[in-house]
Amino acid sequence: MKRRTKEEWFDIINNQKNSGLSIKNYCIKNNISTCNFYKYKKLLINNNSNTDSCDNQFLPVQVCDYNDKVIFTLDGHTIECNTKDLKLILGGLI
């Protein structure tokens, strides 16, 4: 199997984001190991992010009284869920 450079993995990760395919389907279509995909995605995110600027910061969360919904936005993505599912979502992020 071919060994890819970090630059190639960076391109693969960006291509998957732009493809509209799930990671699993993208990897199957392009004959890429999903384990390696996640490994390099994590590696590149850790190397390309400035962790000093992100530590101990709070993200804005809007809790609405209507319809028992919680809405939060991160990097331009909005996530809405009911309060019952919030524990599951937050548990998955930890």
Side-chain angles (χ1 to χ4, degrees), residues 1 3 7 20 30 74 85:
M1 181 173 275
R3 209 162 246 256
E7 292 79 17
N30 292 284
L74 176 63
D85 293 334

Side-chain angles (χ1 to χ4, degrees), residues 11-46:
D11 289 341
I12 289 169
I13 292 165
N14 283 330
N15 289 338
Q16 182 277 322
K17 285 181 190 176
N18 296 326
S19 73
L21 296 172
S22 68
I23 290 173
K24 179 181 176 183
N25 288 337
Y26 181 85
C27 289
I28 291 170
K29 182 178 178 182
N30 292 284
N31 197 28
I32 297 169
S33 162
T34 55
C35 293
N36 283 337
F37 183 93
Y38 283 111
K39 173 183 160 185
Y40 281 95
K41 183 176 179 183
K42 182 177 180 180
L43 176 74
L44 292 173
I45 287 171
N46 287 341

